[in-house]
Structure formats: C-alpha cells, structure tokens
Amino acid sequence: MKYKLRAFFSGRNGIDDLGKALLWAALIVMVLSLLFGVMFLYSAALAVLCYVYIRALLRNVEKCRAQNEKYLSWRNLRKLRFRQRKTHKFYRCPQCKQQLRVPKGKGRICITCRSCGAHFERKT
Ligand SMILES: [Zn+2]
C-alpha cells in the first residue's frame, strides 16, 4: 500500500509555496464567508481548494514550477517593498512601466527613469 501511494505521488508537483498560499487564502475566505453568510465566496473558496489539489496532482511539473517561481518573485518583491516602506517610495514609470525606487522625505523631486530616460515629478 505504501509503495503504491509513493508510486502514485512520484513525478507529481505536490503542494508548493503557491499551493500553500492559495490554501491559506481559501481557508480564510471560507471562514469569513461562513461568519458573514456570503455563500458565493464559500463556493469560490471551494473552487480554489479544488484547483490547489488538482495542481498538486498534475504531472506537468515544469508548468507548476514556473508558476511557483513567478509567485515567489512577486512575494519577494512585496517583502522587499514592505521592508523599505519607511525609507523609500516606489513609482512606476509612466512611459515604460518600470518600477522605480526613490528615497522618501525629499519633497517634490524630478525622477528620471533609468531604462527609458523619461522625466516626471512626484512628491516623496
Ligand atoms: Zn521608463
């Protein structure tokens, strides 16, 4: 039995960081929807749970790993921005949409985009 289970799960993605985050989000939404009686949110959370388990059992490991890597880079960027929120402000270049980081508390400054050279003013 143990061998059969191991053989079944070998070569499958399993629950990665994206799966864990989705599980927690679905659990929180389920609890909130039960507390406030919003049943369509409960159904949506159930759908997310089904997606997580289907994703965990998929054999297309490369696609799941690519999704997980994308999620991890997004999460690490959020963590970095949260850690630097008291010392820096983040803006997006209006022309090329590049993320720009400027020091906070310098008043109204002219920001120059490093990738396209566009200038724009913002209060920091
Ligand atoms: Zn730019």
Side-chain angles (χ1 to χ4, degrees):
M1 184 68 191
K2 189 175 178 183
Y3 175 75
K4 283 185 178 178
L5 268 178
R6 188 172 289 165
F8 177 74
F9 282 106
S10 74
R12 296 181 193 268
N13 186 49
I15 301 220
D16 49 10
D17 289 319
L18 176 60
K20 287 177 193 169
L22 287 174
L23 277 177
W24 276 108
L27 186 72
I28 290 169
V29 169
M30 278 179 148
V31 169
L32 289 177
S33 66
L34 286 177
L35 284 177
F36 296 109
V38 187
M39 291 317 287
F40 76 93
L41 280 179
Y42 187 81
S43 306
L46 273 180
V48 169
L49 274 181
C50 290
Y51 173 72
V52 168
Y53 286 117
I54 288 171
R55 202 172 160 274
L57 295 175
L58 282 178
R59 286 196 181 270
N60 192 354
V61 177
E62 288 80 25
K63 186 179 172 189
C64 291
R65 281 189 184 153
Q67 287 174 340
N68 192 44
E69 285 297 317
K70 203 171 180 180
Y71 164 71
L72 286 178
S73 68
W74 175 83
R75 188 181 75 179
N76 289 340
L77 183 67
R78 295 286 149 207
K79 279 183 178 177
L80 182 71
R81 286 180 68 163
F82 186 75
R83 264 187 262 129
Q84 295 178 342
R85 72 189 185 283
K86 290 182 179 173
T87 57
H88 292 85
K89 275 206 137 183
F90 294 86
Y91 293 106
R92 199 171 278 275
C93 173
Q95 283 189 2
C96 68
K97 310 298 181 206
Q98 172 75 35
Q99 287 275 342
L100 302 169
R101 187 185 72 157
V102 293
K104 212 170 189 178
K106 301 290 181 191
R108 193 161 191 83
I109 60 170
C110 180
I111 302 170
T112 304
C113 177
R114 285 189 181 189
S115 61
C116 72
H119 301 279
F120 58 99
E121 277 192 22
R122 292 287 187 275
K123 188 179 174 197
T124 61

